[in-house]
Amino acid sequence: FFRLAVQYVMSNKPLDGAPSEDSSPSGAGSWVEGPFGYDTFLVHGAVAPDPATGAILTPICQATTFVQDSIDTYLGKGFSYSRTKNPTVATLEKKIAMLENGYGATCFSTGMAATVTVMSAFLSAGDHCIITHCSYGGTNRVARTMFAKFGIQFSFVDFTDPKNIEAAIKPNTKLIFSESPVNPILELCDIAAISKIAKASGILHCCDSTFATPYICRVLDLGADMALQSTTKYYDGHNMTVGGAVAAATKEIDDTIHHFLNMHGNTMSPMVAYLTLQASKTMGLRIRQQSATAQKVAEFLVTHPNVQICQYPGLPTFPQKELADRQHLNGLHGGMLWFEVKGGTAAGKKLMDSIQRPWSLCENLGATESIITCPAVMTHANMLKEDREKVGITDGLVRVSCGIEDPDDLLRALKVALDNL
């Protein structure tokens, strides 16, 4: 996988190089002279018409094994066994590497499989990892209950101030694991500052950028060594699949992650890769709409008399507004927000139990459908209660994932639920 020569750190400016390596050097099958916009790469990145049939979509290569011509030419066509490498999955990996501006990418069966593989690959017994004090609940759980029993130390640190990370570094620190924005309270971390600290100490930095996606923040351009995505969320965006990916800044890191993927066997299926290839084409369209809707929802919530607090990076009252505007691309802040209502936990649960469609009460986020989630019961129930409360995840906190429905319909349903408290 090639790393795009152009750097496009803080805007979606056009990219050099053709999005795909089509076979026709001229005419109807050739690419017009670039550069090309980021949305063109979302549609065409790494995808070329099938050379055998001309099919415009990447075929689903639903095969376990691949016939070899001879022992001496083993892997001559690049594939042997789909646990290790599959043509459909490899195309998605190349596309994600392009979109994240990395050297390469590795796709997994789930986002948690990606997280577990990163920790397995770069942490050993006796090593130390600095991890954000608020993260996706599964990330917190796997650090506390699985890797800790293997003799790996974790420091759960407030990442809103890079000085906290610098102070937490030990001689045996091997990995810094950040998340921005964090799930569900939307705290941001200064990725460039943290990456600078990591590099100065020879420590790898992995940033879970699932909430932002590369459409809003490209963490590898800001110095991170790995960008982790739950492709289940915005890459898919349609509640169809579960999957994960890690884009790596260097060949060495990418090779290591692929090596551990092969050992773990937590490989993404060809069908999931195919569906993600199609769904990711509209990621830009979806995120622009979701961001606009989230802004409207947040502005409505802060004015409602029954709302105690609402946080969204697009609001002028957001505590890290300066960092949000500096780090997020094109003034977009994503489809996620959260709020609490007056009356505490009981009132929050009443709202979630009574919310009407088009809202859906369920887990997941980033989809075309707008979703209301109770993190304390659903996504973060596996965190220790005292840890949840320490970072502000109360039992009544309402996490909101805005979809692409008509915003007025969403606001009307919210108003009914809030007015009835």
Side-chain angles (χ1 to χ4, degrees), residues 1-4 93-94 96-98 100-105 220 225 246-255 258:
F1 305 147
F2 61 88
R3 181 174 173 84
L4 295 174
E93 289 177 336
K94 186 173 183 179
I96 291 174
M98 287 181 173
E100 301 280 355
N101 203 20
Y103 171 84
L220 299 184
D225 299 292
V246 177
T250 68
K251 181 180 186 301
E252 181 183 7
I253 295 172
D254 186 58
D255 286 348
H258 270 99

Side-chain angles (χ1 to χ4, degrees), residues 171-331:
N172 59 334
T173 304
K174 295 296 191 297
L175 179 67
I176 294 173
F177 198 101
S178 66
E179 188 175 311
S180 187
V182 302
N183 184 357
I185 61 173
L186 302 179
E187 284 182 350
L188 308 179
C189 66
D190 189 331
I191 298 163
I194 294 170
S195 299
K196 185 176 180 181
I197 290 169
K199 282 179 170 49
S201 299
I203 301 167
L204 290 174
H205 177 202
C206 177
C207 180
D208 184 337
S209 186
T210 295
F211 271 33
T213 80
Y215 204 80
I216 289 177
C217 184
R218 292 174 207 128
V219 302
L220 299 184
D221 286 346
L222 296 174
D225 299 292
M226 290 166 275
L228 190 145
Q229 297 285 347
S230 171
T231 59
T232 309
K233 312 306 190 291
Y234 286 98
Y235 268 89
D236 173 314
H238 292 78
N239 285 315
M240 295 186 298
T241 69
V242 290
V246 177
T250 68
K251 181 180 186 301
E252 181 183 7
I253 295 172
D254 186 58
D255 286 348
T256 300
I257 296 171
H258 270 99
H259 176 64
F260 274 79
L261 165 83
N262 193 34
M263 291 193 293
H264 286 321
N266 47 12
T267 312
M268 179 179 283
S269 74
M271 177 58 78
V272 168
Y274 172 82
L275 291 171
T276 308
L277 279 166
Q278 312 324 316
S280 61
K281 295 175 183 179
T282 61
M283 183 162 62
L285 291 170
R286 288 184 277 108
I287 288 176
R288 290 197 297 271
Q289 178 63 47
Q290 289 163 315
S291 296
T293 296
Q295 186 72 35
K296 291 181 179 179
V297 170
E299 289 173 355
F300 163 76
L301 288 170
V302 296
T303 64
H304 197 283
N306 286 338
V307 173
Q308 182 72 41
I309 183 175
C310 174
Q311 292 289 8
Y312 177 66
L315 291 173
T317 54
F318 186 70
Q320 296 174 286
K321 188 67 170 73
E322 184 278 328
L323 177 59
D325 290 342
R326 171 162 49 91
Q327 192 161 268
H328 292 169
L329 301 172
N330 298 317

Side-chain angles (χ1 to χ4, degrees), residues 41-55:
F41 271 77
L42 279 170
V43 176
H44 296 284
V47 176
D50 180 55
T53 66

